[in-house]
Amino acid sequence: MAFVTLRVLHGADRGKVFERLPTPVTIGREEGNTIKLNDERISRYHLKFQEDNDKVVVTDLESTNGTKVNGEDVQIRIVRDGDMIALGRSLLLVGSQADIERRIAEIAARLPAAEEARARDLARRLREIASGDDRGSVAPPDLAEMRVLLPGPLPAPPARMTPAQAAEFAELVDHVQAVLREASEGASMRPGGERVEIDFAHWQTVLALQAQLAEMLRSIGEPPAE
């Protein structure tokens, strides 16, 4: 039996994690589904995951607004860990962090020897950093190194925020997430592919966000003189 882990990245249910659900798995607005999402643009019975020949297949159940896998409209598609599924206003990520790291390792194994060694070393470092076992001895990877890997967990939000500070922090995170959502929904990956493509406009939006965050961090570190 195949199992499916789904993480909700965007939508009213963002942040929810559905771990190792045995297939078949259905998603929709009705109570009878395995996963019920609060999304008015999702059909009553929107899509279905099922196992076939040791693969997980997603099928759109003739939904009103359709289903996208990695940016492409699909009726039926084999899905793998790390794939993104868009339905209604919601965006789902297939697989747990460990599942996706395993897929990265499989991709790395098909790279030239030097690339494979580098990818495996990065994966090891990320695991140590994420688990807290590095004890400050593991150098975090830079952005150039991270091109074949996913980032580690987010730092915890500030503690003991006032209601106004919490609201301001939520606005900041919502803005960042909105920009990343637009970029991720505009990305595409060919079925079974190993590279994700993003158009120039969305890429520039992400770079603009990075620049804004860099300026914000600098202003926090160097507040104006009184």
Side-chain angles (χ1 to χ4, degrees):
M1 175 185 295
F3 295 86
V4 177
T5 294
L6 298 169
R7 290 181 279 173
V8 184
L9 301 185
H10 303 297
D13 296 286
R14 67 182 179 182
K16 287 187 176 180
V17 179
F18 304 92
E19 295 187 11
R20 289 187 57 78
L21 300 178
T23 54
V25 172
T26 60
I27 300 178
R29 288 187 289 108
E30 290 289 310
E31 291 287 350
N33 288 283
T34 313
I35 297 175
K36 178 180 178 291
L37 294 179
N38 299 309
D39 189 331
E40 72 278 5
R41 292 181 60 83
I42 290 178
S43 296
R44 293 170 58 245
Y45 294 92
H46 195 104
L47 60 80
K48 179 180 182 179
F49 293 89
Q50 59 190 356
E51 179 186 12
D52 186 43
N53 291 327
D54 297 324
K55 300 183 184 300
V56 176
V57 179
V58 64
T59 304
D60 182 87
L61 302 176
E62 299 184 358
S63 64
T64 301
N65 294 308
T67 299
K68 290 184 177 182
V69 175
N70 297 326
E72 293 187 2
D73 292 304
V74 301
Q75 178 59 40
I76 186 169
R77 177 66 56 85
I78 293 173
V79 293
R80 301 168 177 83
D81 296 320
D83 285 348
M84 295 186 303
I85 299 178
L87 62 163
R89 302 183 188 278
S90 302
L91 185 66
L92 312 180
L93 178 63
V94 179
S96 66
Q97 184 71 26
D99 294 332
I100 296 173
E101 285 185 2
R102 277 193 293 271
R103 185 180 178 191
I104 291 172
E106 291 171 0
I107 293 173
R110 297 195 291 272
L111 297 173
E115 290 283 314
E116 176 185 354
R118 186 172 64 86
R120 291 187 183 280
D121 177 63
L122 287 171
R124 175 187 58 79
R125 287 159 59 192
L126 281 177
R127 283 194 298 272
E128 292 178 359
I129 292 170
S131 65
D133 293 337
D134 64 291
R135 298 180 177 83
S137 62
V138 179
D142 60 30
L143 291 176
E145 292 180 300
M146 290 294 292
R147 64 186 179 89
V148 295
L149 293 170
L150 296 177
L154 286 173
R160 300 185 182 87
M161 290 186 287
T162 67
Q165 289 171 332
E168 290 174 343
F169 183 75
E171 279 189 0
L172 173 61
V173 174
D174 277 339
H175 175 77
V176 172
Q177 190 179 45
V179 172
L180 296 179
R181 172 179 182 168
E182 184 177 351
S184 61
E185 288 184 342
S188 63
M189 182 170 66
R190 294 177 182 176
E194 299 171 359
R195 294 185 181 275
V196 176
E197 296 179 352
I198 184 171
D199 62 55
F200 184 77
H202 284 120
W203 175 237
Q204 290 302 313
T205 302
V206 172
L207 293 181
L209 172 63
Q210 185 177 355
Q212 291 170 344
L213 291 176
E215 292 174 8
M216 180 180 294
L217 287 172
R218 186 175 184 87
S219 68
I220 292 173
E222 299 179 2
E226 305 232 348

